[in-house]
Amino acid sequence: MHFRYTTPFAHRLAEAIHTVVPAPTEKSNIAYICCPTGYIASQYLYQSATTLLLEYDQRFAVAAASSGGGHFIHYDLEEDHIPEAIKGTVELAVVDPPFLNEVCMSANMKIRRR
């Protein structure tokens, strides 16, 4: 998985995103899809109750709840179900999906077993 950015990179990413959408509102959310470290850095630097984290890993719901606002939405890329409540409200989506497939996972498992 590559969802763990370094702190300096995550902060630079958050700063770049907030130059595009400096003041998110309920009608102009920023959605972080499958990049929880980017979301956490954004919330750390620019606390916003309208910033969204769409993530499969439920452990990040705690981070979203304790980050001064924002919203965690359990999201599975394979199901691709976006909640009706947020459709049409996202001005900018930051997407960093994990490109894990059977070939990749098998190779990783073989490397780990050695």
Side-chain angles (χ1 to χ4, degrees):
M1 287 189 205
H2 59 274
F3 60 67
R4 299 198 191 279
Y5 304 142
T6 64
T7 300
F9 175 81
H11 284 197
R12 285 194 312 272
L13 177 64
E15 290 166 357
I17 290 166
H18 280 272
T19 61
V20 177
V21 184
T25 68
E26 288 182 14
K27 295 185 182 201
S28 65
N29 291 323
I30 297 172
Y32 289 84
I33 303 171
C34 303
C35 52
T37 309
Y39 168 85
I40 291 167
S42 176
Q43 286 296 90
Y44 176 77
L45 295 173
Y46 308 96
Q47 289 184 355
S48 172
T50 60
T51 301
L52 308 169
L53 173 60
L54 285 77
E55 171 61 45
Y56 184 80
D57 191 335
Q58 299 265 4
R59 293 176 295 176
F60 291 104
V62 174
S66 65
S67 66
H71 301 283
F72 175 86
I73 298 168
H74 183 257
Y75 181 70
D76 185 341
L77 285 169
E78 294 196 21
E79 291 180 12
D80 195 28
H81 174 73
I82 303 292
E84 289 295 323
I86 67 166
K87 286 185 179 178
T89 68
V90 176
E91 185 168 338
L92 179 66
V94 182
V95 184
D96 189 10
F99 292 102
L100 302 176
N101 57 37
E102 288 184 36
V103 173
C104 175
M105 294 303 288
S106 321
N108 286 337
M109 293 306 288
K110 288 177 187 174
I111 291 168
R112 290 182 186 156
R113 288 183 190 154
R114 290 183 183 174

